[in-house]
Amino acid sequence: MGDEYYLSANEAALAVVATAMKKARLRLDTLCVNSLMGGILFSSGGMIHIMAQGYMGSIFQNDPGVIMFIQGLVYPIGLFYVVIMGVDLFNSNVLFFSTAVVRGAVSILDLCISWFVSWWLNLVGNIFVCYVISTYSGVGTTKSFIRSAVEIAETKNAHGFVQTLLRGVAGNFYVSMAIYLQLMVKPLHVKFFMLLLPIFTFVSLGYSHVVADMYLMVMGLINHADVTVGEVIWRVFIPGTLGNMIGGSAFGIVVTWYLHLVVVERDQRELNLPQYDVRDEQPELNQDSRVVRRPLQISTEDDDDEPLDEEPEYINDKLGGIREEEPSDSSDSYRAEAPQALYEDNLSRMNTRSTGISRLSNMSSYRRLRSPKNVFPVYGMGNAGKREREIAGEFALKVKSRHSGEIDSMLLRAATTTGTVDLGANYLGETLKRVITRSKVQKEERDIEAQRIVSPCPSFSSYHSRHLTGVPIKPLRSVSVDNVNKRMLQAGITPKAARGANEAAGIDSMTTRPRMSSAMGESVSTAHTIDLIDSERQEPKGSTQSQFDVKDFSPQKPA
């Protein structure tokens, strides 16, 4: 906090959630390209891994530990490329989405889409590199390279299902730690060092990483290792994938979510620690988020000279905000002048030579830009929605007042705008749901439309729905005269009263449009006439007789 180069563990945990929210709103084509490039870039570590063992074969035969240390040092190169380019890797997506799901930031469907697409496109990228970059280019056709690729593939295939699964659990636990550590730093050279330590650990110890194994096993198959495709799938890919999912999710849920989010926020609530405004400095796609916290300067000292009812105004003064006029119902409503008051530095650069009127206009347009929905609260924009602020942890705290009361953080996070433009992102899972259900909804609409009875006065209904109400009217129902007479009898409505009601409603007949009220200048709703139209019994146009057929209407004595 307050350091532009490093983040705390809590800020890094929130950055994991914010990054997952960005990845969830990627379009499908972008996710596919990102995942394809992720597999291509990450395979760089696999190529150097094979070359280190193949071209130093004598050292590997006499002292394999030295080669394993060298392989551990060079393998982070591929992951470094992935992180800096902002592309998608299956193993890092396990960390991001497992944490975001338990935080409530993304859905299970978003998680499944990301994991499924990134896994398969990472495989396609590795296959492309194996055949085109390594084999057809001649780089991977030397005897040393082929011998090393065959040895590595056969060694990995010799492990059992459970062994590979457990190795996968440990492998992605360390990979998730590497991704998590690099989020805490900003300089690129420090990011590489943060990636180096955990990757060196898991590669040197021989743990499994399914995307890394994709390149190694495909190269073994190309060079005719003593393995089959079925064995590679069953003994390497399936247990390695399951193990990576377990290990990455365990790190994301236990360390990132529970230890650095739940535990920290629970302690803040219990001790009433200072509140912070949490924002994402890097909300753009295809790069990891960087979440920063800025403290709110709120005084909690006792001041007996000030009355209790002025406390909210005191807090808003400390925030640099304004107090609105009290409404007539004596309920208080306050709004802080954020985000300028919430941040120490000026977030909007304005011309210092501009007039006061132009500055006010600039600030008004600035305040209308709210942080979009389904996006982690953005640094430099207005307040986000309730759900986004809850994800950022802004509703987790309460501040003790100087009069032994509690002021909810809602008061401190008052809305920054009055007239706002609600912009927001659509997650890929939500889009997929709409696409899947669209055909079903359209079919139901067609079925309902086919069951509708055509109105005897189509010109009237279409005119009324388009020009008078602006909303399509309900389909006309066929109501029998006997049923109408029966209902009128039960309600005690006489024929004279029915005719008077029609005249008061401005209805001359069933086939004409309702008259415009001369006194009010408004069209009278036809909701009452629609239900009472008898498509088989219509009065001649221009008749002043009541719309109801009262021929059979005669009071009857009860039996």
Side-chain angles (χ1 to χ4, degrees):
M1 183 184 64
D3 196 323
E4 59 177 329
Y5 295 115
Y6 303 98
L7 300 179
S8 65
N10 178 254
E11 292 169 338
L14 291 172
V16 171
V17 177
T19 304
M21 296 177 71
K22 291 198 296 188
K23 290 181 178 294
R25 72 175 190 262
L26 289 175
R27 293 176 52 179
L28 184 59
D29 58 338
T30 307
L31 177 59
C32 292
V33 174
N34 277 357
S35 302
L36 180 65
M37 291 303 303
I40 292 175
L41 294 176
F42 191 79
S43 63
S44 304
M47 287 188 284
I48 303 176
H49 182 92
I50 293 178
M51 292 182 64
Q53 181 172 329
Y55 288 94
M56 291 184 286
S58 58
I59 300 178
F60 181 74
Q61 296 295 330
N62 299 326
D63 196 352
V66 174
I67 302 301
M68 295 178 68
F69 276 17
I70 295 175
Q71 290 173 334
L73 292 173
V74 300
Y75 219 107
I77 295 176
L79 185 59
F80 180 73
Y81 294 157
V82 170
V83 169
I84 300 305
M85 294 297 103
V87 294
D88 281 70
L89 190 70
F90 168 76
N91 298 77
S92 59
N93 284 348
V94 171
L95 167 67
F96 291 133
F97 281 86
S98 61
T99 306
V101 164
V102 295
R103 184 68 170 179
V106 299
S107 66
I108 294 291
L109 182 59
D110 296 318
L111 177 146
C112 294
I113 292 174
S114 177
W115 289 7
F116 180 84
V117 174
S118 61
W119 194 96
W120 282 102
L121 271 298
N122 285 165
L123 177 61
V124 173
N126 277 279
I127 293 175
F128 172 80
V129 173
C130 289
Y131 276 98
V132 178
I133 305 300
S134 297
T135 302
Y136 292 157
S137 67
V139 173
T141 57
T142 61
K143 293 183 179 180
S144 299
F145 193 95
I146 293 175
R147 182 181 68 253
S148 176
V150 170
E151 290 177 354
I152 293 174
E154 292 178 350
T155 301
K156 287 185 173 293
N157 189 64
H159 302 147
F161 187 95
V162 177
Q163 286 182 322
T164 304
L165 187 144
L166 295 177
R167 288 169 181 253
V169 172
N172 207 33
F173 188 90
Y174 282 104
V175 172
S176 299
M177 184 187 299
I179 297 296
Y180 189 53
L181 291 177
Q182 64 86 23
L183 288 173
M184 299 182 182
V185 299
K186 192 172 184 179
L188 295 183
H189 62 285
V190 185
K191 279 183 177 289
F192 180 78
F193 186 73
M194 293 292 100
L195 293 170
L196 174 64
L197 298 178
I199 301 303
F200 172 80
T201 303
F202 102 82
V203 174
S204 300
L205 295 176
Y207 295 141
S208 294
H209 185 284
V210 66
V211 182
D213 291 343
M214 290 175 182
Y215 180 86
L216 301 177
M217 299 307 296
V218 172
M219 285 303 302
L221 291 172
I222 292 175
N223 292 291
H224 309 289
D226 189 17
V227 296
T228 63
V229 175
E231 291 175 340
V232 170
I233 295 174
W234 175 248
R235 294 186 178 182
V236 180
F237 286 172
I238 293 179
T241 301
L242 295 177
N244 288 170
M245 291 166 61
I246 296 172
S249 299
F251 185 91
I253 295 173
V254 176
V255 178
T256 308
W257 175 70
Y258 181 73
L259 294 180
H260 294 159
L261 289 178
V262 175
V263 172
V264 171
E265 292 172 357
R266 182 176 61 196
D267 185 64
Q268 289 174 337
R269 286 196 303 269
E270 293 175 351
L271 301 181
N272 285 329
L273 297 179
Q275 288 194 331
Y276 299 93
D277 189 66
V278 184
R279 296 292 173 127
D280 185 4
E281 280 188 331
Q282 299 175 173
E284 297 82 8
L285 296 177
N286 291 337
Q287 63 175 336
D288 293 336
S289 293
R290 177 176 171 79
V291 173
V292 295
R293 300 183 303 170
R294 297 301 173 109
L296 294 175
Q297 302 296 332
I298 303 173
S299 175
T300 59
E301 296 179 358
D302 293 335
D303 189 359
D304 297 331
D305 296 334
E306 295 184 9
L308 177 61
D309 55 357
E310 294 182 1
E311 182 173 350
E313 184 175 5
Y314 169 82
I315 293 177
N316 280 280
D317 291 340
K318 291 298 182 182
L319 287 173
I322 59 173
R323 181 176 181 178
E324 294 185 339
E325 294 293 333
E326 294 186 0
S328 58
D329 58 357
S330 70
S331 60
D332 294 335
S333 176
Y334 305 97
R335 179 163 58 255
E337 283 290 336
Q340 290 244 342
L342 299 180
Y343 306 123
E344 296 175 354
D345 54 335
N346 189 6
L347 299 180
S348 61
R349 185 173 299 175
M350 295 183 294
N351 188 356
T352 57
R353 293 179 294 179
S354 60
T355 63
I357 297 178
S358 62
R359 292 182 184 179
L360 180 61
S361 177
N362 290 338
M363 286 304 299
S364 298
S365 61
Y366 174 76
R367 286 197 297 267
R368 285 196 294 269
L369 298 177
R370 293 189 59 177
S371 182
K373 66 178 181 179
N374 291 334
V375 177
F376 198 91
V378 179
Y379 185 90
M381 299 188 72
N383 256 22
K386 178 179 178 181
R387 174 178 176 270
E388 288 72 26
R389 294 199 301 271
E390 288 177 344
I391 292 172
E394 294 191 26
F395 281 82
L397 307 178
K398 287 181 180 289
V399 175
K400 281 280 183 78
S401 70
R402 59 186 179 280
H403 297 284
S404 301
E406 286 188 349
I407 303 171
D408 199 318
S409 58
M410 274 291 288
L411 179 62
L412 304 178
R413 298 292 189 272
T416 62
T417 63
T418 52
T420 60
V421 179
D422 289 333
L423 302 176
N426 291 324
Y427 288 167
L428 188 56
E430 297 174 356
T431 305
L432 182 61
K433 284 182 180 179
R434 289 196 296 268
V435 172
I436 293 175
T437 57
R438 184 177 302 167
S439 58
K440 181 179 179 181
V441 172
Q442 291 177 349
K443 182 177 182 301
E444 292 177 352
E445 291 178 351
R446 289 195 299 267
D447 293 341
I448 294 175
E449 189 68 25
Q451 296 174 3
R452 290 179 176 177
I453 299 176
V454 180
S455 168
C457 309
S459 60
F460 163 71
S461 61
S462 60
Y463 174 87
H464 184 78
S465 62
R466 290 197 306 269
H467 300 284
L468 296 182
T469 64
V471 180
I473 62 175
K474 298 180 180 178
L476 302 181
R477 295 187 300 172
S478 178
V479 182
S480 65
V481 178
D482 294 338
N483 189 22
V484 174
N485 292 336
K486 182 179 178 180
R487 292 186 180 182
M488 291 174 61
L489 177 61
Q490 293 175 352
I493 302 175
T494 64
K496 184 177 180 180
R499 286 193 296 270
N502 284 343
E503 293 176 358
I507 300 174
D508 289 335
S509 66
M510 295 180 301
T511 60
T512 59
R513 282 180 273 173
R515 296 196 303 265
M516 300 295 293
S517 175
S518 58
M520 303 298 296
E522 298 178 351
S523 61
V524 181
S525 173
T526 60
H528 300 290
T529 62
I530 294 171
D531 293 335
L532 300 175
I533 288 179
D534 182 7
S535 59
E536 298 178 357
R537 302 173 63 91
Q538 295 185 6
E539 296 294 335
K541 185 175 180 180
S543 174
T544 58
Q545 184 179 353
S546 170
Q547 182 180 346
F548 302 111
D549 188 349
V550 298
K551 180 179 180 180
D552 298 330
F553 180 87
S554 58
Q556 299 178 5
K557 296 181 179 181

